[in-house]
Amino acid sequence: MTSGIVSPVSDPADEAARGRNAAAGLRRPVGVVSTGLCVPPRVVTNTELTRTLDTSDAWIRSRTGIEERRYLATGLSTSDMSIAAAREALRRGGVAAAELDAIIVTTFTPDQPLPSTALMVKERLGAHRAVPLDLTQAACAGGIYALVVAAHLLQNTSYRHVLVIGADAGSRATDPQDRGTRVFLGDAAGAALLAPTADGFGILSWHTDSELSYEVEIPAGGSRTPTSPETLQRRDQYLKMNGKAVWTMATDRLPRSIRETAARAGIGLDEVGYYLLHQANLNIITEAMASLGVPAERAPTTVRRFGNTAAASMFTVLHETLNGPAEHGDVLIMAGIGAGFLWGSMCLRHCAAGG
């Protein structure tokens, strides 16, 4: 995908330096320069959910590790959270919206089927020259897929800044009567500003894979089964999930993908400072880390406080890590799996401002 986009490298020394990013297929090294986060102010505790669902705080904590999640206020939408997260990322990166070359919004809860949520974000930000791109069905793996797309866009030397936003209003997609999904999902948006970086930093490698499955789905609302009185009666407009299937796939595929990505980067698992996993379920994160043979404390978590925020979830831990303990030169691996099933991971070397 990069062929013919970047000028050929003629200096052998430059070629050797760029080789440190070669595992990612990038002739032009790119990385995350800043992040932003938006979580709604309304906190929904487990106790609040027990008032309408046949469940308990103890059951939710033991099965998911979630203690509370955030719900978006009535009248607000996915684009509102996206814009708030985007503005913070731009402020932290010292980049004006007018300087953006592309905006990628990944979500399974767009404001509406048409028009484009990315276009809504572009217009409200004032990013007049940016190409708006929507990645709408990668669900919880959307963050990885969107970052891969952004990295390739930046191989075009006329592009300098690409903004990736992962956002979902999961509370709008789950059935208020279904404890199997309702207790998991919350609402949030996270943004990552990508730009060219120093050789050997930024994105070092990635891995993606997929396997078609209907174990996690929203059955109605598409061309196969349009919304109708019958689908509404069956509550098919809401997310359906086979929890056992998700557990089996996530605990197997996430460690596999992480190992593959680390190997492609030539990085040992013990050299990775932070594992930023999709925050679906604390037990899945714990199991995945045990499978890797890596101490669980190297996987920062937000799932206790925010629940599963789908496309936003990896960005919540990325934001807190890059603006917290991460230091210049630290290696991070992001990984996620979503409905489909789609999964993937990405290895990055952090290039701190002034580093």
Side-chain angles (χ1 to χ4, degrees):
M1 193 167 180
T2 63
S3 178
I5 296 176
V6 180
S7 299
V9 177
S10 57
D11 188 329
D14 281 348
E15 189 69 60
R18 291 180 189 276
R20 286 175 286 185
N21 295 83
L26 302 178
R27 300 274 306 277
R28 186 192 201 191
V30 298
V32 175
V33 298
S34 63
T35 60
L37 180 64
C38 173
V39 289
R42 183 190 169 194
V43 176
V44 178
T45 64
N46 292 343
T47 299
E48 181 174 340
L49 292 180
T50 64
R51 296 171 190 153
T52 56
L53 294 171
D54 180 18
T55 188
S56 67
D57 176 62
W59 187 92
I60 297 171
R61 288 176 186 247
S62 65
R63 299 299 182 92
T64 72
I66 299 170
E67 299 173 9
E68 58 188 38
R69 70 287 295 146
R70 304 296 183 94
Y71 281 4
L72 191 60
T74 301
L76 296 178
S77 62
T78 296
S79 68
D80 293 300
M81 295 190 295
S82 298
I83 289 161
R87 285 176 175 156
E88 182 181 9
L90 292 173
R91 177 183 60 79
R92 287 179 177 274
V95 172
E99 297 178 75
L100 291 174
D101 298 296
I103 296 172
I104 305 172
V105 176
T106 178
T107 181
F108 82 97
T109 58
D111 282 25
Q112 55 192 77
L114 289 173
S116 156
T117 302
L119 179 54
M120 295 176 189
V121 173
K122 166 188 170 170
E123 291 297 314
R124 285 180 57 187
L125 284 177
H128 303 300
R129 79 180 191 198
V131 176
L133 299 172
D134 295 89
L135 206 168
T136 60
Q137 291 181 295
C140 305
I144 295 296
Y145 282 71
L147 289 170
V148 169
V149 172
H152 283 82
L153 288 175
L154 284 164
Q155 297 311 292
N156 184 324
T157 55
S158 68
Y159 277 38
R160 292 288 302 173
H161 303 101
V162 175
L163 185 66
V164 171
I165 302 169
D168 270 307
S171 67
R172 308 281 172 85
T174 51
D175 188 341
Q177 300 177 11
D178 177 20
R179 76 170 185 177
T181 57
R182 191 67 172 174
V183 301
F184 282 96
L185 271 75
D187 306 338
L193 179 64
L194 278 76
T197 190
D199 291 315
F201 288 86
I203 298 170
L204 303 182
S205 66
W206 67 71
H207 166 264
T208 60
D209 205 347
S210 59
E211 181 178 317
L212 180 61
S213 168
Y214 294 89
E215 299 290 4
V216 183
E217 64 172 342
I218 297 177
S223 61
R224 183 190 302 275
T225 309
T227 302
S228 67
E230 291 74 26
T231 65
L232 293 175
Q233 185 176 18
R234 295 195 301 267
R235 308 180 76 80
D236 281 351
Q237 74 271 32
Y238 292 121
L239 181 72
K240 313 292 183 183
M241 180 174 68
N242 179 337
K244 290 183 178 179
V246 172
W247 171 273
T248 300
M249 290 294 291
T251 56
D252 178 70
R253 301 310 195 270
L254 285 178
R256 279 199 210 180
S257 183
I258 289 169
R259 289 190 184 96
E260 178 65 24
T261 288
R264 290 181 182 184
I267 298 289
L269 295 180
D270 59 337
E271 298 176 74
V272 179
Y274 302 97
Y275 290 83
L276 312 180
L277 275 60
H278 166 45
Q279 304 290 296
N281 180 320
L282 185 60
N283 296 335
I284 288 176
I285 296 170
T286 301
E287 182 70 16
M289 295 300 287
S291 176
L292 292 169
V294 176
E297 56 265 25
R298 281 161 60 190
T301 61
T302 58
V303 68
R304 291 182 179 89
R305 293 174 286 134
F306 302 150
N308 179 356
T309 55
S313 79
M314 275 181 289
F315 293 106
T316 65
V317 288
L318 178 67
H319 177 77
E320 293 192 352
T321 302
L322 292 188
N323 295 291
E327 298 181 353
H328 181 72
D330 281 348
V331 175
L332 308 90
I333 287 185
M334 301 175 67
I337 184 169
F341 286 101
L342 301 162
W343 63 91
S345 55
M346 176 174 284
C347 182
L348 310 96
R349 189 182 300 278
H350 181 41
C351 186

